[in-house]
Amino acid sequence: MELVLEEFIDNNLPQGYTPYYIYLIMLNHIEIGRLVYRLGDDEEHMFDGHIAYTIEEEYRGHYYAYQACLLLDEMVHRDHYMITCDPSNKASYKTIMKLGAQYIETKTIPPQLKKFYTKEEKEKMIFIWKGNQQ
């Protein structure tokens, strides 16, 4: 498995956005998902996290998001990452737990940020992951 940089976005960002990388998660030359790595501090990414991932439905259940996070950490070597998930997203929660991330708290998404989330998203579970340095 490998991460392939698709794009780095740093120009003409909407207010409140920080630069970010979009990686393709590739398995045997097939795109099986995507990982987004957002630059910025913890406060800026309290609700969306530094890392976000999605795996195509037919490839779920094989720990590919977990493996992609480990690959990202090998490239970035950041001290720690904020990772968040919706309390109902059991697959993402399992990935975060497998990474060994520390649960911080569950917070309600503030009204001024609601426009960045779906109507169903009301709160986020917030974790800190120290990467492979644990």
Side-chain angles (χ1 to χ4, degrees), residues 49-96:
H50 291 112
I51 299 173
Y53 41 76
T54 184
I55 301 295
E56 296 296 330
E57 191 168 342
E58 62 267 30
Y59 295 101
R60 293 179 186 165
H62 301 282
Y63 303 109
Y64 293 134
Y66 165 79
Q67 293 173 46
C69 289
L70 295 179
L71 288 173
L72 176 74
D73 186 54
E74 287 176 15
M75 295 186 311
V76 174
H77 303 292
R78 187 181 174 109
D79 177 57
H80 70 273
Y81 308 85
M82 301 296 292
I83 303 179
T84 68
C85 74
D86 191 281
S88 66
N89 188 337
K90 301 302 181 207
S92 187
Y93 178 79
K94 285 173 60 176
T95 296
I96 293 167

Side-chain angles (χ1 to χ4, degrees), residues 12 20 28 72 79 85 87 98 107 111:
N12 303 316
Y20 58 97
N28 300 323
L72 176 74
D79 177 57
C85 74
K98 188 164 179 62
K107 291 181 88 170

